[in-house]
Amino acid sequence: MSGKIVTFFQHLRGNRLTRRFLASLLGLLISVWGLDTLFPISFDHPKQHYAQIIIAADGTPLRAFADSQGIWRYPISLTDVSPLYLQALLNYEDRWFWQHPGVNPFSLSRALWQNLTHKRVISGGSTLTMQVARLIIPQGKGITGKLAQVCRALQLEWHYSKPEILQYYLNHAPFGGTLEGVQAASYVYLGKSARELSVAEAALLAVLPQAPSRNRPDRHPEQAQIARDKVIRRLAREKIWSKAVAEDALIENVFAQRNSQPVVAPLLANRFKSHVKSELPLKTTLDYAMQQSLEELVKNYMKALPTQTSAAVLVVKNHDLSVQAYIGSADFSDNTRFAHIDMVSAIRSPGSTLKPFLYGLALDEGLIHSQSLLSDAPSSYEGYRPHDFDRGFIGPVSVSNALKKSLNVPAIQVLYYLGAEKFVSRLKNAGLTLQFSQGAKANLSVILGGVGTTLETLVGTYSALANQGLAGKVRFFQHSPIQQRYLFSPGAAWIIRTILKHEDTQAHGLAWKTGTSYGYRDFWSIGVSDDFTIGVWIGRPDGTPTPGHYGALTASPLLFEIAQRLAYRYGQSHTPEKQPANVTEQLICWPLGGLLSETPAHLCHEKKKAWLLNNTVPKTLATGDNSVWEQNPATLMINQKTGRLVDSSCHAPVVGYKTVAFWPAVVEPWIPATQHKQQQIGDYDESCSHPPQFQQGVLKIEELDNNAQLRSPGAAKNFPAVPLKTSGAQGSVYWFINGQLLYHVDPTKALKHLFKETGHYQIAVSDEMGKTASIEVDVLAVMQ
């Protein structure tokens, strides 16, 4: 009997037409009998879904979410599975899979004979198709159940192709516990994809579904190894694998290990979980190795910072805006650091990080060049009096240094002339998220962080510095299109990036900018290299201040470490960025701002080497409300004999003229005395009955000497209190201590300032006419 069945099956194997005819005939019979209509079968089972999987660019799972039944099932196609696994599976489980019509009569007969002979179940004789039928619709044991499997297998072969049936098995076979499918089993038991299996690993996974509980390698490694070795030896006997290959595979031990489900880039996965719409994984652009490396780096870096402090990092490739690393919190496992709050997409104050965009737009508008003279001194802009971050004023400063040092007052000066509404509009048009508090509108404070934005859109906008002035929307998925918008010209982008390449930086070739929000709540550091834009945010997600920290101290070291890791992994470009043709380098003069070649020598107090855009040489900007500066340079009438100042009311016998270049009045405390306005004007002539119109009082700080050392008198144990008095003031006066506006008073009002700690202090005062005076003092320790 068995010999006839073998002959019959060999006939089927050799005669493909006969085999297909038989399968068609059996399927037709089932349809005729009505079984196919009464008992339909389909792969689309309502309760069998794949886990939602988000994967890196190389296909490695970042994070998975079990299906509604708690089953971990990772989708995989035939082409993505190791050929070794398919060899082991088909040759051990169902060597005639590609030939039979869903049922193998020989295997069934053999199983029946063995079971009857031994009076117990030795083998089931099920084909892979029959096993798939059982996975779809579980059947009872015994002959009735086996017959049902046969019928269902024939149905499957009628409706589906062989590759479809095999792929269903690969994705749904049981591998122990809540694991189904070879891909999920491979990651959990072996820590790798099913396309990377060795011979021994392929054999293990091929046999595991036979007895998934008994053969689980994490619980029963010895039994799993016995079952695996059986597969290896059979494939060696059948010469599927060579003897040498089999011997090497048998040497490998099976270890009791179980890898946890992946939790890499968890907050990105949480954010985009809803995007997984089909049985296919959601493929991101992330570099798996870099993501893991930076997650560990951030976790360790944050150990030195206060508890409840979190961090966020975003790394984007410049050429295609693809996200390479996404770290939304400091440590996803540490709830004391707000683990589950994604700070990549959170709205936060950007501090000073918008300043490069301001200066770039001002370059395009022709308001400045890289060495334009700006004023870092007490100033008023329509009643708004900004101050610098936790330090005193430094007086005259170039655009380049103002940007490098992140000075607030010069930035307000430039924004005042560019226009806050225009600035905000241009940034929004480029794709930067800007959120104002309810009812607020664009104003000068926006450049100091008086607006909300996100790390995500900030990084996309900074990429303009490496992309010819085109800001981009960062891409999380490989199928997402590249979207870029104009921010400023390529020339402006090149100049700003060149300025931000600090010569003393720890990361050579990296242009970077820091930011600290008001109240020490947000600490930023954004860097741009030839290949990457990197964004770092550190702070407390609940908005609690963290005094003693700021962007350069807290965030920049992490930025530099990330930049170094990127350079180590991807290499570093050694080709200097090409200077645009419309950017030229010229010598200019302060205080007027014109070209050296076009400025008379006596009007050029300082020479500067500047980057010019489109050969535009703008004049020095006025400082806010100081209208006198607009008359610069000034032509003065003098008595030609005495050289002293006169006007039409004087009685000078011979009148002549001289031209002088004035510095902004607010920076006079920081420039040589010979260049002060009063010194350049000189004394008025004796022939005048009253001082000429340019003769104005000089603002002075009285009763305090420059560089004085202050200590309370005698045995007093309090810190000193000093009088704040001026002479020569016009209108109200504004007192600044280390750049902080503390008092706005009438100059005749008696005022004292009590120091609260030792240190070096700058005391500055300005009046309504823009005149400024400044001294520096040292407060010494209290007598003990």
Side-chain angles (χ1 to χ4, degrees), residues 33-80:
W33 292 340
L35 295 178
D36 199 44
T37 302
L38 294 174
F39 305 102
I41 193 167
S42 172
F43 286 164
D44 300 324
H45 197 284
K47 293 186 178 181
Q48 291 182 339
H49 301 289
Y50 290 102
Q52 292 176 296
I53 305 173
I54 292 88
I55 62 176
D58 64 356
T60 306
L62 298 170
R63 194 176 185 194
F65 302 89
D67 71 4
S68 59
Q69 305 298 309
I71 301 298
W72 297 96
R73 187 184 297 114
Y74 294 6
I76 193 169
S77 65
L78 281 175
T79 56
D80 289 332

Side-chain angles (χ1 to χ4, degrees), residues 635-668:
T635 300
L636 307 179
M637 186 183 300
I638 60 173
N639 183 334
Q640 206 162 31
K641 288 187 176 180
T642 63
R644 293 184 172 184
L645 187 67
V646 298
D647 62 13
S648 58
S649 67
C650 302
H651 304 286
V654 182
V655 174
Y657 298 91
K658 72 174 182 179
T659 304
V660 293
F662 296 136
W663 291 81
V666 296
V667 304
E668 284 208 345

Side-chain angles (χ1 to χ4, degrees), residues 435-477:
Q435 181 175 304
F436 290 90
S437 57
Q438 188 173 6
K441 296 181 180 179
N443 56 69
L444 294 177
S445 69
V446 69
I447 197 60
L448 307 184
V451 68
T453 191
T454 66
L455 177 62
E456 178 181 325
T457 60
L458 194 59
V459 167
T461 309
Y462 261 85
S463 69
L465 298 180
N467 285 329
Q468 302 289 303
L470 296 178
K473 182 178 181 180
V474 301
R475 298 170 56 246
F476 297 103
F477 312 113

Side-chain angles (χ1 to χ4, degrees), residues 269-340:
N270 285 355
R271 177 177 173 182
F272 294 114
K273 176 183 176 183
S274 61
H275 287 58
V276 185
K277 299 296 185 182
S278 67
E279 63 185 39
L280 296 177
L282 181 63
K283 194 169 191 177
T284 70
T285 60
L286 265 61
D287 180 324
Y288 184 83
M290 184 53 60
Q291 175 72 27
Q292 278 198 314
S293 173
L294 296 189
E295 283 185 6
E296 191 65 24
L297 170 65
V298 171
K299 183 178 179 179
N300 291 330
Y301 182 84
M302 295 301 293
K303 290 178 181 178
L305 296 179
T307 58
Q308 298 187 310
T309 306
S310 189
V313 172
L314 192 67
V315 179
V316 173
K317 269 188 179 178
N318 291 329
H319 82 276
D320 64 359
L321 301 172
S322 60
V323 174
Q324 300 300 294
Y326 184 114
I327 300 169
S329 65
D331 183 352
F332 191 67
S333 64
D334 186 354
N335 287 327
T336 66
R337 294 191 181 275
F338 301 89
H340 297 272

Side-chain angles (χ1 to χ4, degrees), residues 19 33 50 71 107 210-211 252 258 317 410 482 489 502 533 565 577 584 593 604 608 627 670 693 765:
R19 184 180 69 251
W33 292 340
Y50 290 102
I71 301 298
S107 296
Q210 278 196 351
E252 292 185 27
R258 182 182 178 91
K317 269 188 179 178
I482 297 176
S489 69
H502 303 248
T533 298
R565 292 198 179 194
E577 186 184 12
T584 56
C604 186
K608 301 287 182 180
S627 59
W670 292 273
Q693 60 178 345
V765 63

